[in-house]
Amino acid sequence: MEACSHPERKRHAQLRHQPRATPLWVGDPDDWALVRQRPRPPLVCPEPGCNVELISYENLHNQYNPRIFKFKHDGTSCNHWIPDSHGGGGPPSPEHVWMQLYLTRIVTSLWYTATPEHPPTRADVFVHECSYCLEVQLRPTQFRKRTAQREARGARVCWFIREGLDTEKARQALFGLPAVRFRVVDERDRPLAPWKEPDNQNLTDSARLQLFGTIAYLERARTGELSFKTRTMDGTSFLAEILSGRRRWYRPMMLGRKMGLWALRGDVSVYFAHRRRG
């Protein structure tokens, strides 16, 4: 990413006179409108205790980083909150940024605190109260290595792997790591791509996140046997359940399937009680 080769550029800032809260992010249109109003509000580095001054800067001719925060004074800088290189894959695409913002807004609607592009953990979206890294993946990456890095910091991880990313590594990650497939659809389950029309708010308002592949529900067969079957699920409901701990990730073979599954803890208790009764 261009921002990484120029450390004077940041993608987060903090209002100087605002109590420390979620940092402002260049990918959020509401945040950007706030920092670009006149008179320009005073901004500082988002790192607690750092009061290095920043200014907002916009260059619409830069297709990769049109919006950034720069140091206000020459010779005054810090190395806090340097943007991530997204696994070495270059700058984030419009789809990736849209998904980060969408996940952030779902999380905050559930009354959690979320920071997109969280430099301390390198998470696409970091949920503070439960130390959860939500990772959007549109192309192949080092899933296991990046999962281990976040878990080493004490964070849990959930990968959101785009429908159609069907490489061997992506399939291994989907079924072996805490992961789920996603697609963006409208109210009739038709595919949507709102990131292609960023000024069309109606398109974003009608978008829904649909998840599938590893979301399991307990079902009883006619014989009375219990087993887990996978279904689709709304993104908001899924996030509400995993962030609260009601639904968790179970590794392959733990629930009688070769693949890992996201299952409700209550369903898992019923399943194992049923097996013990034999």
Side-chain angles (χ1 to χ4, degrees), residues 112-139:
Y112 293 95
T113 307
T115 299
E117 289 189 24
H118 185 243
T121 60
R122 301 304 189 193
D124 282 327
V125 178
F126 183 70
V127 186
H128 293 257
E129 290 84 352
C130 44
S131 194
Y132 230 117
C133 297
L134 309 180
E135 301 293 342
V136 178
Q137 204 57 39
L138 310 180
R139 50 195 168 195

PDB file of all heavy atoms in Angstrom, residues 112-139:
ATOM      1  N   TYR A 112     -21.557  -2.568  20.393  1.00  0.00           N
ATOM      2  CA  TYR A 112     -20.151  -2.827  20.640  1.00  0.00           C
ATOM      3  C   TYR A 112     -19.336  -1.671  20.055  1.00  0.00           C
ATOM      4  O   TYR A 112     -19.828  -0.893  19.237  1.00  0.00           O
ATOM      5  CB  TYR A 112     -19.703  -4.135  19.983  1.00  0.00           C
ATOM      6  CG  TYR A 112     -20.321  -5.385  20.571  1.00  0.00           C
ATOM      7  CD1 TYR A 112     -21.468  -5.946  20.006  1.00  0.00           C
ATOM      8  CD2 TYR A 112     -19.750  -6.007  21.678  1.00  0.00           C
ATOM      9  CE1 TYR A 112     -22.036  -7.088  20.535  1.00  0.00           C
ATOM     10  CE2 TYR A 112     -20.314  -7.161  22.213  1.00  0.00           C
ATOM     11  CZ  TYR A 112     -21.459  -7.689  21.637  1.00  0.00           C
ATOM     12  OH  TYR A 112     -22.026  -8.819  22.173  1.00  0.00           O
ATOM     13  N   THR A 113     -18.079  -1.589  20.450  1.00  0.00           N
ATOM     14  CA  THR A 113     -17.154  -0.592  19.909  1.00  0.00           C
ATOM     15  C   THR A 113     -16.294  -1.260  18.839  1.00  0.00           C
ATOM     16  O   THR A 113     -15.663  -2.280  19.115  1.00  0.00           O
ATOM     17  CB  THR A 113     -16.254  -0.023  21.017  1.00  0.00           C
ATOM     18  OG1 THR A 113     -17.074   0.454  22.086  1.00  0.00           O
ATOM     19  CG2 THR A 113     -15.398   1.116  20.492  1.00  0.00           C
ATOM     20  N   ALA A 114     -16.268  -0.678  17.650  1.00  0.00           N
ATOM     21  CA  ALA A 114     -15.528  -1.280  16.541  1.00  0.00           C
ATOM     22  C   ALA A 114     -14.585  -0.262  15.916  1.00  0.00           C
ATOM     23  O   ALA A 114     -14.937   0.911  15.762  1.00  0.00           O
ATOM     24  CB  ALA A 114     -16.490  -1.801  15.484  1.00  0.00           C
ATOM     25  N   THR A 115     -13.392  -0.724  15.548  1.00  0.00           N
ATOM     26  CA  THR A 115     -12.426   0.113  14.839  1.00  0.00           C
ATOM     27  C   THR A 115     -12.020  -0.585  13.554  1.00  0.00           C
ATOM     28  O   THR A 115     -11.430  -1.669  13.597  1.00  0.00           O
ATOM     29  CB  THR A 115     -11.168   0.371  15.691  1.00  0.00           C
ATOM     30  OG1 THR A 115     -11.544   1.057  16.883  1.00  0.00           O
ATOM     31  CG2 THR A 115     -10.164   1.225  14.919  1.00  0.00           C
ATOM     32  N   PRO A 116     -12.339  -0.015  12.396  1.00  0.00           N
ATOM     33  CA  PRO A 116     -11.877  -0.602  11.131  1.00  0.00           C
ATOM     34  C   PRO A 116     -10.399  -0.311  10.903  1.00  0.00           C
ATOM     35  O   PRO A 116      -9.867   0.694  11.386  1.00  0.00           O
ATOM     36  CB  PRO A 116     -12.748   0.109  10.084  1.00  0.00           C
ATOM     37  CG  PRO A 116     -13.131   1.399  10.729  1.00  0.00           C
ATOM     38  CD  PRO A 116     -13.189   1.158  12.209  1.00  0.00           C
ATOM     39  N   GLU A 117      -9.733  -1.214  10.188  1.00  0.00           N
ATOM     40  CA  GLU A 117      -8.293  -1.091   9.913  1.00  0.00           C
ATOM     41  C   GLU A 117      -7.520  -0.823  11.193  1.00  0.00           C
ATOM     42  O   GLU A 117      -6.729   0.124  11.275  1.00  0.00           O
ATOM     43  CB  GLU A 117      -8.019   0.014   8.884  1.00  0.00           C
ATOM     44  CG  GLU A 117      -8.464  -0.324   7.487  1.00  0.00           C
ATOM     45  CD  GLU A 117      -7.992   0.693   6.453  1.00  0.00           C
ATOM     46  OE1 GLU A 117      -6.984   1.377   6.691  1.00  0.00           O
ATOM     47  OE2 GLU A 117      -8.638   0.803   5.411  1.00  0.00           O
ATOM     48  N   HIS A 118      -7.699  -1.656  12.177  1.00  0.00           N
ATOM     49  CA  HIS A 118      -7.156  -1.448  13.517  1.00  0.00           C
ATOM     50  C   HIS A 118      -5.659  -1.778  13.540  1.00  0.00           C
ATOM     51  O   HIS A 118      -5.279  -2.952  13.587  1.00  0.00           O
ATOM     52  CB  HIS A 118      -7.919  -2.349  14.493  1.00  0.00           C
ATOM     53  CG  HIS A 118      -7.554  -2.171  15.920  1.00  0.00           C
ATOM     54  ND1 HIS A 118      -6.987  -3.179  16.682  1.00  0.00           N
ATOM     55  CD2 HIS A 118      -7.689  -1.115  16.750  1.00  0.00           C
ATOM     56  CE1 HIS A 118      -6.801  -2.748  17.907  1.00  0.00           C
ATOM     57  NE2 HIS A 118      -7.203  -1.508  17.979  1.00  0.00           N
ATOM     58  N   PRO A 119      -4.769  -0.788  13.503  1.00  0.00           N
ATOM     59  CA  PRO A 119      -3.337  -1.080  13.403  1.00  0.00           C
ATOM     60  C   PRO A 119      -2.754  -1.940  14.527  1.00  0.00           C
ATOM     61  O   PRO A 119      -1.896  -2.786  14.256  1.00  0.00           O
ATOM     62  CB  PRO A 119      -2.699   0.312  13.368  1.00  0.00           C
ATOM     63  CG  PRO A 119      -3.745   1.181  12.775  1.00  0.00           C
ATOM     64  CD  PRO A 119      -5.034   0.650  13.346  1.00  0.00           C
ATOM     65  N   PRO A 120      -3.168  -1.769  15.805  1.00  0.00           N
ATOM     66  CA  PRO A 120      -2.545  -2.607  16.841  1.00  0.00           C
ATOM     67  C   PRO A 120      -2.698  -4.114  16.613  1.00  0.00           C
ATOM     68  O   PRO A 120      -1.802  -4.882  16.961  1.00  0.00           O
ATOM     69  CB  PRO A 120      -3.265  -2.164  18.123  1.00  0.00           C
ATOM     70  CG  PRO A 120      -3.666  -0.752  17.842  1.00  0.00           C
ATOM     71  CD  PRO A 120      -4.047  -0.734  16.391  1.00  0.00           C
ATOM     72  N   THR A 121      -3.824  -4.544  16.031  1.00  0.00           N
ATOM     73  CA  THR A 121      -4.032  -5.980  15.772  1.00  0.00           C
ATOM     74  C   THR A 121      -3.967  -6.320  14.294  1.00  0.00           C
ATOM     75  O   THR A 121      -3.975  -7.492  13.931  1.00  0.00           O
ATOM     76  CB  THR A 121      -5.404  -6.437  16.301  1.00  0.00           C
ATOM     77  OG1 THR A 121      -6.431  -5.684  15.644  1.00  0.00           O
ATOM     78  CG2 THR A 121      -5.500  -6.263  17.804  1.00  0.00           C
ATOM     79  N   ARG A 122      -3.946  -5.304  13.423  1.00  0.00           N
ATOM     80  CA  ARG A 122      -4.007  -5.480  11.976  1.00  0.00           C
ATOM     81  C   ARG A 122      -5.334  -6.099  11.542  1.00  0.00           C
ATOM     82  O   ARG A 122      -5.420  -6.716  10.477  1.00  0.00           O
ATOM     83  CB  ARG A 122      -2.836  -6.330  11.455  1.00  0.00           C
ATOM     84  CG  ARG A 122      -1.459  -5.753  11.751  1.00  0.00           C
ATOM     85  CD  ARG A 122      -1.322  -4.352  11.216  1.00  0.00           C
ATOM     86  NE  ARG A 122       0.053  -3.849  11.296  1.00  0.00           N
ATOM     87  CZ  ARG A 122       0.379  -2.578  11.127  1.00  0.00           C
ATOM     88  NH1 ARG A 122      -0.541  -1.680  10.889  1.00  0.00           N
ATOM     89  NH2 ARG A 122       1.633  -2.207  11.212  1.00  0.00           N
ATOM     90  N   ALA A 123      -6.380  -5.928  12.341  1.00  0.00           N
ATOM     91  CA  ALA A 123      -7.697  -6.467  11.999  1.00  0.00           C
ATOM     92  C   ALA A 123      -8.397  -5.552  11.005  1.00  0.00           C
ATOM     93  O   ALA A 123      -8.283  -4.332  11.078  1.00  0.00           O
ATOM     94  CB  ALA A 123      -8.549  -6.611  13.258  1.00  0.00           C
ATOM     95  N   ASP A 124      -9.155  -6.155  10.097  1.00  0.00           N
ATOM     96  CA  ASP A 124      -9.994  -5.345   9.213  1.00  0.00           C
ATOM     97  C   ASP A 124     -11.025  -4.580  10.035  1.00  0.00           C
ATOM     98  O   ASP A 124     -11.282  -3.408   9.780  1.00  0.00           O
ATOM     99  CB  ASP A 124     -10.697  -6.231   8.186  1.00  0.00           C
ATOM    100  CG  ASP A 124      -9.773  -6.640   7.059  1.00  0.00           C
ATOM    101  OD1 ASP A 124      -8.893  -5.845   6.697  1.00  0.00           O
ATOM    102  OD2 ASP A 124      -9.931  -7.750   6.530  1.00  0.00           O
ATOM    103  N   VAL A 125     -11.640  -5.264  10.996  1.00  0.00           N
ATOM    104  CA  VAL A 125     -12.518  -4.617  11.972  1.00  0.00           C
ATOM    105  C   VAL A 125     -12.234  -5.264  13.325  1.00  0.00           C
ATOM    106  O   VAL A 125     -12.326  -6.485  13.455  1.00  0.00           O
ATOM    107  CB  VAL A 125     -14.005  -4.784  11.620  1.00  0.00           C
ATOM    108  CG1 VAL A 125     -14.888  -4.130  12.693  1.00  0.00           C
ATOM    109  CG2 VAL A 125     -14.316  -4.182  10.247  1.00  0.00           C
ATOM    110  N   PHE A 126     -11.894  -4.447  14.310  1.00  0.00           N
ATOM    111  CA  PHE A 126     -11.615  -4.966  15.645  1.00  0.00           C
ATOM    112  C   PHE A 126     -12.753  -4.585  16.570  1.00  0.00           C
ATOM    113  O   PHE A 126     -13.129  -3.410  16.669  1.00  0.00           O
ATOM    114  CB  PHE A 126     -10.301  -4.404  16.187  1.00  0.00           C
ATOM    115  CG  PHE A 126      -9.922  -4.956  17.537  1.00  0.00           C
ATOM    116  CD1 PHE A 126      -9.527  -6.272  17.671  1.00  0.00           C
ATOM    117  CD2 PHE A 126      -9.974  -4.159  18.671  1.00  0.00           C
ATOM    118  CE1 PHE A 126      -9.191  -6.792  18.914  1.00  0.00           C
ATOM    119  CE2 PHE A 126      -9.629  -4.658  19.911  1.00  0.00           C
ATOM    120  CZ  PHE A 126      -9.239  -5.978  20.037  1.00  0.00           C
ATOM    121  N   VAL A 127     -13.317  -5.599  17.265  1.00  0.00           N
ATOM    122  CA  VAL A 127     -14.396  -5.375  18.217  1.00  0.00           C
ATOM    123  C   VAL A 127     -13.775  -5.386  19.610  1.00  0.00           C
ATOM    124  O   VAL A 127     -13.263  -6.410  20.070  1.00  0.00           O
ATOM    125  CB  VAL A 127     -15.483  -6.460  18.097  1.00  0.00           C
ATOM    126  CG1 VAL A 127     -16.664  -6.117  19.005  1.00  0.00           C
ATOM    127  CG2 VAL A 127     -15.954  -6.593  16.651  1.00  0.00           C
ATOM    128  N   HIS A 128     -13.804  -4.241  20.271  1.00  0.00           N
ATOM    129  CA  HIS A 128     -13.014  -4.041  21.482  1.00  0.00           C
ATOM    130  C   HIS A 128     -13.504  -4.856  22.671  1.00  0.00           C
ATOM    131  O   HIS A 128     -12.702  -5.498  23.362  1.00  0.00           O
ATOM    132  CB  HIS A 128     -12.990  -2.548  21.836  1.00  0.00           C
ATOM    133  CG  HIS A 128     -12.236  -1.717  20.848  1.00  0.00           C
ATOM    134  ND1 HIS A 128     -10.968  -1.237  21.080  1.00  0.00           N
ATOM    135  CD2 HIS A 128     -12.574  -1.304  19.598  1.00  0.00           C
ATOM    136  CE1 HIS A 128     -10.557  -0.554  20.022  1.00  0.00           C
ATOM    137  NE2 HIS A 128     -11.514  -0.574  19.113  1.00  0.00           N
ATOM    138  N   GLU A 129     -14.798  -4.831  22.953  1.00  0.00           N
ATOM    139  CA  GLU A 129     -15.295  -5.441  24.186  1.00  0.00           C
ATOM    140  C   GLU A 129     -15.013  -6.940  24.267  1.00  0.00           C
ATOM    141  O   GLU A 129     -14.797  -7.468  25.359  1.00  0.00           O
ATOM    142  CB  GLU A 129     -16.811  -5.199  24.326  1.00  0.00           C
ATOM    143  CG  GLU A 129     -17.190  -3.764  24.615  1.00  0.00           C
ATOM    144  CD  GLU A 129     -17.290  -2.912  23.356  1.00  0.00           C
ATOM    145  OE1 GLU A 129     -16.913  -3.405  22.259  1.00  0.00           O
ATOM    146  OE2 GLU A 129     -17.729  -1.760  23.461  1.00  0.00           O
ATOM    147  N   CYS A 130     -15.008  -7.615  23.134  1.00  0.00           N
ATOM    148  CA  CYS A 130     -14.777  -9.064  23.161  1.00  0.00           C
ATOM    149  C   CYS A 130     -13.501  -9.459  22.422  1.00  0.00           C
ATOM    150  O   CYS A 130     -13.276 -10.650  22.174  1.00  0.00           O
ATOM    151  CB  CYS A 130     -15.975  -9.818  22.599  1.00  0.00           C
ATOM    152  SG  CYS A 130     -16.664  -9.111  21.107  1.00  0.00           S
ATOM    153  N   SER A 131     -12.670  -8.481  22.079  1.00  0.00           N
ATOM    154  CA  SER A 131     -11.382  -8.725  21.438  1.00  0.00           C
ATOM    155  C   SER A 131     -11.531  -9.678  20.249  1.00  0.00           C
ATOM    156  O   SER A 131     -10.951 -10.753  20.205  1.00  0.00           O
ATOM    157  CB  SER A 131     -10.374  -9.298  22.449  1.00  0.00           C
ATOM    158  OG  SER A 131      -9.062  -9.245  21.925  1.00  0.00           O
ATOM    159  N   TYR A 132     -12.325  -9.240  19.281  1.00  0.00           N
ATOM    160  CA  TYR A 132     -12.617 -10.063  18.102  1.00  0.00           C
ATOM    161  C   TYR A 132     -12.094  -9.368  16.852  1.00  0.00           C
ATOM    162  O   TYR A 132     -12.331  -8.170  16.653  1.00  0.00           O
ATOM    163  CB  TYR A 132     -14.129 -10.261  17.952  1.00  0.00           C
ATOM    164  CG  TYR A 132     -14.546 -11.693  17.759  1.00  0.00           C
ATOM    165  CD1 TYR A 132     -15.350 -12.347  18.683  1.00  0.00           C
ATOM    166  CD2 TYR A 132     -14.147 -12.412  16.631  1.00  0.00           C
ATOM    167  CE1 TYR A 132     -15.737 -13.666  18.522  1.00  0.00           C
ATOM    168  CE2 TYR A 132     -14.527 -13.732  16.452  1.00  0.00           C
ATOM    169  CZ  TYR A 132     -15.320 -14.344  17.401  1.00  0.00           C
ATOM    170  OH  TYR A 132     -15.691 -15.665  17.219  1.00  0.00           O
ATOM    171  N   CYS A 133     -11.382 -10.115  16.006  1.00  0.00           N
ATOM    172  CA  CYS A 133     -10.915  -9.607  14.724  1.00  0.00           C
ATOM    173  C   CYS A 133     -11.811 -10.156  13.614  1.00  0.00           C
ATOM    174  O   CYS A 133     -11.879 -11.373  13.416  1.00  0.00           O
ATOM    175  CB  CYS A 133      -9.479 -10.039  14.453  1.00  0.00           C
ATOM    176  SG  CYS A 133      -8.268  -9.388  15.623  1.00  0.00           S
ATOM    177  N   LEU A 134     -12.488  -9.272  12.915  1.00  0.00           N
ATOM    178  CA  LEU A 134     -13.308  -9.656  11.773  1.00  0.00           C
ATOM    179  C   LEU A 134     -12.495  -9.376  10.520  1.00  0.00           C
ATOM    180  O   LEU A 134     -12.099  -8.233  10.266  1.00  0.00           O
ATOM    181  CB  LEU A 134     -14.612  -8.862  11.767  1.00  0.00           C
ATOM    182  CG  LEU A 134     -15.417  -8.870  13.072  1.00  0.00           C
ATOM    183  CD1 LEU A 134     -16.685  -8.031  12.925  1.00  0.00           C
ATOM    184  CD2 LEU A 134     -15.748 -10.287  13.512  1.00  0.00           C
ATOM    185  N   GLU A 135     -12.222 -10.424   9.749  1.00  0.00           N
ATOM    186  CA  GLU A 135     -11.299 -10.320   8.615  1.00  0.00           C
ATOM    187  C   GLU A 135     -12.032 -10.581   7.308  1.00  0.00           C
ATOM    188  O   GLU A 135     -12.594 -11.656   7.098  1.00  0.00           O
ATOM    189  CB  GLU A 135     -10.160 -11.333   8.772  1.00  0.00           C
ATOM    190  CG  GLU A 135      -9.340 -11.165  10.040  1.00  0.00           C
ATOM    191  CD  GLU A 135      -8.540  -9.867  10.065  1.00  0.00           C
ATOM    192  OE1 GLU A 135      -8.355  -9.264   8.984  1.00  0.00           O
ATOM    193  OE2 GLU A 135      -8.113  -9.460  11.152  1.00  0.00           O
ATOM    194  N   VAL A 136     -12.025  -9.594   6.420  1.00  0.00           N
ATOM    195  CA  VAL A 136     -12.646  -9.710   5.106  1.00  0.00           C
ATOM    196  C   VAL A 136     -11.594 -10.178   4.109  1.00  0.00           C
ATOM    197  O   VAL A 136     -10.526  -9.570   3.999  1.00  0.00           O
ATOM    198  CB  VAL A 136     -13.216  -8.355   4.656  1.00  0.00           C
ATOM    199  CG1 VAL A 136     -13.828  -8.463   3.256  1.00  0.00           C
ATOM    200  CG2 VAL A 136     -14.235  -7.855   5.667  1.00  0.00           C
ATOM    201  N   GLN A 137     -11.887 -11.257   3.388  1.00  0.00           N
ATOM    202  CA  GLN A 137     -10.889 -11.754   2.446  1.00  0.00           C
ATOM    203  C   GLN A 137     -11.515 -11.976   1.081  1.00  0.00           C
ATOM    204  O   GLN A 137     -12.439 -12.769   0.917  1.00  0.00           O
ATOM    205  CB  GLN A 137     -10.259 -13.050   2.963  1.00  0.00           C
ATOM    206  CG  GLN A 137      -8.885 -13.307   2.393  1.00  0.00           C
ATOM    207  CD  GLN A 137      -7.902 -12.151   2.664  1.00  0.00           C
ATOM    208  OE1 GLN A 137      -7.910 -11.565   3.744  1.00  0.00           O
ATOM    209  NE2 GLN A 137      -7.077 -11.829   1.682  1.00  0.00           N
ATOM    210  N   LEU A 138     -10.966 -11.249   0.101  1.00  0.00           N
ATOM    211  CA  LEU A 138     -11.462 -11.321  -1.267  1.00  0.00           C
ATOM    212  C   LEU A 138     -10.524 -12.080  -2.190  1.00  0.00           C
ATOM    213  O   LEU A 138     -10.886 -12.395  -3.319  1.00  0.00           O
ATOM    214  CB  LEU A 138     -11.663  -9.904  -1.823  1.00  0.00           C
ATOM    215  CG  LEU A 138     -12.456  -8.918  -0.951  1.00  0.00           C
ATOM    216  CD1 LEU A 138     -12.568  -7.570  -1.653  1.00  0.00           C
ATOM    217  CD2 LEU A 138     -13.828  -9.473  -0.613  1.00  0.00           C
ATOM    218  N   ARG A 139      -9.305 -12.348  -1.719  1.00  0.00           N
ATOM    219  CA  ARG A 139      -8.312 -13.022  -2.552  1.00  0.00           C
ATOM    220  C   ARG A 139      -7.443 -13.903  -1.660  1.00  0.00           C
ATOM    221  O   ARG A 139      -7.459 -13.777  -0.433  1.00  0.00           O
ATOM    222  CB  ARG A 139      -7.467 -12.000  -3.309  1.00  0.00           C
ATOM    223  CG  ARG A 139      -6.893 -10.903  -2.438  1.00  0.00           C
ATOM    224  CD  ARG A 139      -6.400  -9.744  -3.272  1.00  0.00           C
ATOM    225  NE  ARG A 139      -6.099  -8.576  -2.459  1.00  0.00           N
ATOM    226  CZ  ARG A 139      -5.925  -7.362  -2.956  1.00  0.00           C
ATOM    227  NH1 ARG A 139      -6.002  -7.179  -4.261  1.00  0.00           N
ATOM    228  NH2 ARG A 139      -5.667  -6.348  -2.171  1.00  0.00           N
TER     229      ARG A 139
END
